[in-house]
Structures are given as structure tokens and as C-alpha cells.
Amino acid sequence: MILARLILGLLSLSPMTGYELKKHFDSSINHFWNADKAQIYRTLTKLVQDGHATVTVIRQSNYPDRQEHHITELGREMLVQWLQTDVTAHIPREPFMARLFFAAELDRTGVVDLVEARRVATQDLLDDYLSQREDIDMRAAADRRSFLMAATLDNSIRHQEAELQWLEAVAEHLP
Amino acid sequence: MILARLILGLLSLSPMTGYELKKHFDSSINHFWNADKAQIYRTLTKLVQDGHATVTVIRQSNYPDRQEHHITELGREMLVQWLQTDVTAHIPREPFMARLFFAAELDRTGVVDLVEARRVATQDLLDDYLSQREDIDMRAAADRRSFLMAATLDNSIRHQEAELQWLEAVAEHLP
DNA sequence: CGTGGCTAGTCGATCAATCAACCGAGAAAT
DNA sequence: ATTTCTCGGTTGATTGATCGACTAGCCACG
């Protein structure tokens, strides 16, 4: 459901092939959503079936045909409608917390290792996000669209920072 | 997969029925994982099939029979093994970020409303976590198991706090 | 001359999650 | 007297996500 909306959102910016959508997911969307290739193509099929998008096949000389997907008026309406529906609380699932919750089955060193491994993984993610952030800055602040896109990245950054601080506190006070 | 592990973790603390497992999920686990009733029962069936748990039926006078599930030695081994496997980065999916990313399709007021609704939802969650936190405190810090369980709750609290701060920043700088 | 990467997509299988309905009994509340 | 709550569990259907394999031509590198 949400994948369909994200795809509609991207198509609202510009017509695209499934392949290009996948690239966007892997670059700009990756900090809050990821999508499987197969799932993108299947969702595109459904969007076309539902009249939210149309396909235009474009021949290319040196590359395979492009199945360019365009958002329709109906699709645009659905997109705006979704944006306006109620915000419902959503508890993300955190596999690491699942582990830590039961980590007392390990000895102290085991727990320390777990926390340290998480710290490294978190720092890597944060570094990645920070370098993405550098590529946008400044010119972004002006128009609302760019501001919001940057803001979602800032959200991920703040969460990773909070995670790091929490990890330090855990490492420090672990009995 | 992770659900199976969480269930094993709970069973390692004490034998339980599916019904009781569901209650634990709804109370202590709810801040980082939630589980559907049907899924819990199906996973229990699989745990028994795989030899990670056993069932004992206990007759009761005024209540239905209890299908008490006990963790086996193999189950305990699987649990510890899982705790020791590599920590892999995991990007949680955030439906709200999905919306905000494309919220420029709305007018400014629309975006402000969206952010405000999120703020209310976040504050509610935070209040819930904080009241859960009050019920544990103090005596917890001592042994490692209680410490870790409290720590996962602290993690959720820190993330909600970070979310609130970010929301304030967004509301303040939104062009 | 071969290998690997980029473009662009398709198909099948499997699993996990979610929703909704249904069963039945006792106990407490109105 | 009747509804609602708690206990305890089951089934079916559907959707979404995930993984892997397969097709196929072009380009650049060594």
C-alpha cells in the first residue's frame, strides 16, 4: 500500500521506468524505506490496472525499451488523498531490541560485544546519512519540496545520533 | 523468524500459553515489536514441530484447557545462537516519513497539520513509555536481565524524544 | 577474447503479517 | 435477565515482502 504511494510520489516528480524507480529507492529513499525490485514492478502493474499510472514504451537504439510510467490525474488525486488521511501511530520493529531484550542469556562480554557491534553499524549508517546530507544543503532550504526531502533525512540523522547516545549510556551502565 | 525468537525468549523466562504470550507482547514488548494472535499460535505450532518447544495440556475447572508451552534444550540453544549471530544494519520503514517526503503536494497549512498530528501521536507514545518506565525503575538496575529490558524501553523513549525535537525544528523552519 | 557491469525487466516460490470471523464457557456487571 | 469481559484457542483468505534465477544486448577494461 505505502509502496504504491511512494511510487506515485516519485512518478509525480517525473515519469520513470521501474529500473529508475529502484535507483531512487536505493539513493534518496533508502533511509526510511527500501523496496525490492520485483515488488516495484508488480506494484507498477497494479498502478496501471487501477488507472493511477499509464505506460509508454520508448524504443532505444543501444538499450532495452523503456517502459516509462506516467502518473495520471486519478493517481495524483490518490496521492493527495493519502497525504491528507489520519496520521496513525506506528511502532517500528527493531530486531536489535528484540535481541538485547533477551541478551541476558549471554555473559557480560557477549552483551558488550553485541552493543559494540551495534555501535559500529549505527556509526556507519550515520556517516552515510551525513554524507548524503552534504550533497543537498543550502539551496534546499528555500522551496518547500526540497526542505521536506532534506527534513526526512535529518530525521534519520537525529535518530541515529540518539541511538549512539543510548548505546554509550548502555555500555557505561551495564552491570 | 524473529517472532519465533521472541517467543522462545519469553518461554525461556517461564512456560506459557499462546494467550499469555500475546499479553506479554501487548505489554512489555510492544515498544519494539507487536504480534498478531494468529501468528503467535502458528509460530508456536512450528516451534513444537521443530523441537524447540513442547506442549503440556493442563485441565482447569472453570477455564479452558491451558496449552502450556515449554522451551526445550534445543530451543534454548537456538536462542543463544541467535543472540550471537552478526548484527546487521536494519532500516526501519517509516510511513510518516514517506508522507512528509511528498507532502509538498499539499499547501503549507496541510503540511503544518501533518506535523502537528505527528507531534501529538509522538507525545502520546512517549507518555505511555514514560509511565511504563516508572513501573520498573530502581530495583531494575541491579541484575543484567532487568537492566537490559529497561534499556530497550529507554531506547524507545530516547527515539521519541528525538522525534519530538525534530518535529519542533521542522515546524519552526518550514518555509 | 573474456569478464563484469549497466540497462531493463520477468517469473515463481515461499514466508510473514494482517484481518476477520468463529468457538465455547464461566464470571462479573448492569 | 442479558450483555460484556476474560480465558484460550482455531481457521481461512489475502496481501506484502523477500529471494533467487533467468533473459538479453551493449559497453568498457584489460
Side-chain angles (χ1 to χ4, degrees):
Chain A
M1 215 66 276
I2 291 181
L3 180 60
R5 274 111 182 213
L6 279 168
I7 290 178
L8 271 187
L10 285 172
L11 292 184
S12 83
L13 302 179
S14 121
M16 259 178 260
T17 64
Y19 186 81
E20 287 168 334
L21 282 166
K22 174 60 176 161
K23 298 200 120 187
H24 278 280
F25 273 95
D26 289 348
S27 57
S28 40
I29 316 283
N30 70 108
H31 57 96
F32 65 86
W33 207 272
N34 63 357
D36 184 75
K37 203 167 82 162
Q39 195 63 17
I40 289 175
Y41 283 107
R42 282 183 184 127
T43 305
L44 275 175
T45 307
K46 203 177 159 278
L47 285 174
V48 172
Q49 274 168 19
D50 295 351
H52 299 157
T54 53
V55 202
T56 325
V57 178
I58 297 178
R59 299 276 148 73
Q60 294 185 113
S61 46
N62 296 340
Y63 294 101
D65 293 357
R66 290 168 56 75
Q67 283 179 241
E68 216 175 56
H69 289 75
H70 298 248
I71 191 168
T72 61
E73 263 318 301
L74 180 59
R76 222 171 262 279
E77 280 170 36
M78 291 299 115
L79 182 59
V80 172
Q81 204 176 300
W82 165 56
L83 292 171
Q84 287 168 343
T85 55
D86 280 351
V87 171
T88 51
H90 158 258
I91 288 110
R93 295 174 163 194
E94 299 284 353
F96 180 76
M97 295 306 132
R99 283 199 198 197
L100 204 67
F101 196 81
F102 293 111
E105 298 289 317
L106 301 174
D107 55 18
R108 192 172 190 285
T109 324
V111 181
V112 169
D113 290 353
L114 208 56
V115 171
E116 172 59 14
R118 172 75 167 184
R119 198 193 56 71
V120 171
T122 305
Q123 186 67 58
D124 284 356
L125 257 191
L126 179 56
D127 291 346
D128 178 22
Y129 294 162
L130 286 174
S131 86
Q132 281 188 50
R133 192 64 179 82
E134 279 173 29
D135 299 343
I136 333 179
D137 237 338
M138 299 307 120
R139 66 188 179 283
D143 85 301
R144 194 170 307 130
R145 189 182 302 280
S146 308
F147 174 84
L148 288 173
M149 289 180 174
T152 62
L153 184 54
D154 287 341
N155 180 274
S156 299
I157 290 171
R158 288 203 188 225
H159 278 279
Q160 295 307 311
E161 286 170 346
E163 185 76 13
L164 277 182
Q165 284 163 29
W166 169 78
L167 283 165
E168 278 163 34
V170 170
E172 196 185 335
H173 299 111
L174 181 68
Chain B
M1 214 69 278
I2 293 181
L3 180 60
R5 274 109 181 216
L6 279 168
I7 290 177
L8 271 187
L10 286 171
L11 293 184
S12 83
L13 302 179
S14 121
M16 260 178 259
T17 64
Y19 187 81
E20 286 167 334
L21 282 165
K22 175 61 175 160
K23 298 200 119 185
H24 278 279
F25 273 96
D26 290 348
S27 57
S28 39
I29 315 284
N30 71 108
H31 58 95
F32 65 86
W33 207 272
N34 63 358
D36 184 77
K37 204 167 82 162
Q39 195 61 18
I40 289 175
Y41 283 107
R42 282 182 182 128
T43 305
L44 274 175
T45 307
K46 202 177 162 278
L47 284 175
V48 172
Q49 273 168 19
D50 295 351
H52 299 156
T54 53
V55 202
T56 326
V57 178
I58 297 178
R59 297 277 146 73
Q60 294 184 114
S61 47
N62 296 340
Y63 295 102
D65 293 357
R66 291 169 54 77
Q67 284 180 239
E68 215 174 60
H69 289 75
H70 298 248
I71 192 169
T72 62
E73 262 320 299
L74 180 59
R76 222 171 262 278
E77 279 169 37
M78 291 300 114
L79 182 59
V80 173
Q81 204 177 300
W82 164 56
L83 293 171
Q84 287 168 343
T85 56
D86 280 352
V87 170
T88 50
H90 158 257
I91 287 110
R93 296 175 164 195
E94 298 285 354
F96 180 77
M97 295 305 131
R99 282 199 198 198
L100 204 67
F101 195 81
F102 292 110
E105 297 288 317
L106 302 174
D107 56 16
R108 193 172 189 285
T109 324
V111 181
V112 170
D113 289 353
L114 208 55
V115 171
E116 172 59 14
R118 172 74 167 184
R119 198 194 56 73
V120 171
T122 305
Q123 186 67 57
D124 285 355
L125 256 191
L126 179 56
D127 290 348
D128 178 22
Y129 294 162
L130 287 174
S131 86
Q132 279 187 50
R133 192 64 178 82
E134 278 174 28
D135 300 342
I136 333 178
D137 238 340
M138 300 306 121
R139 66 187 179 283
D143 85 301
R144 194 170 309 131
R145 187 182 303 280
S146 308
F147 174 85
L148 289 172
M149 289 179 175
T152 63
L153 184 53
D154 288 340
N155 180 273
S156 299
I157 290 172
R158 289 204 188 222
H159 278 280
Q160 295 309 310
E161 285 169 348
E163 184 76 13
L164 277 181
Q165 284 163 30
W166 169 78
L167 282 164
E168 278 163 35
V170 171
E172 196 185 334
H173 299 112
L174 182 69

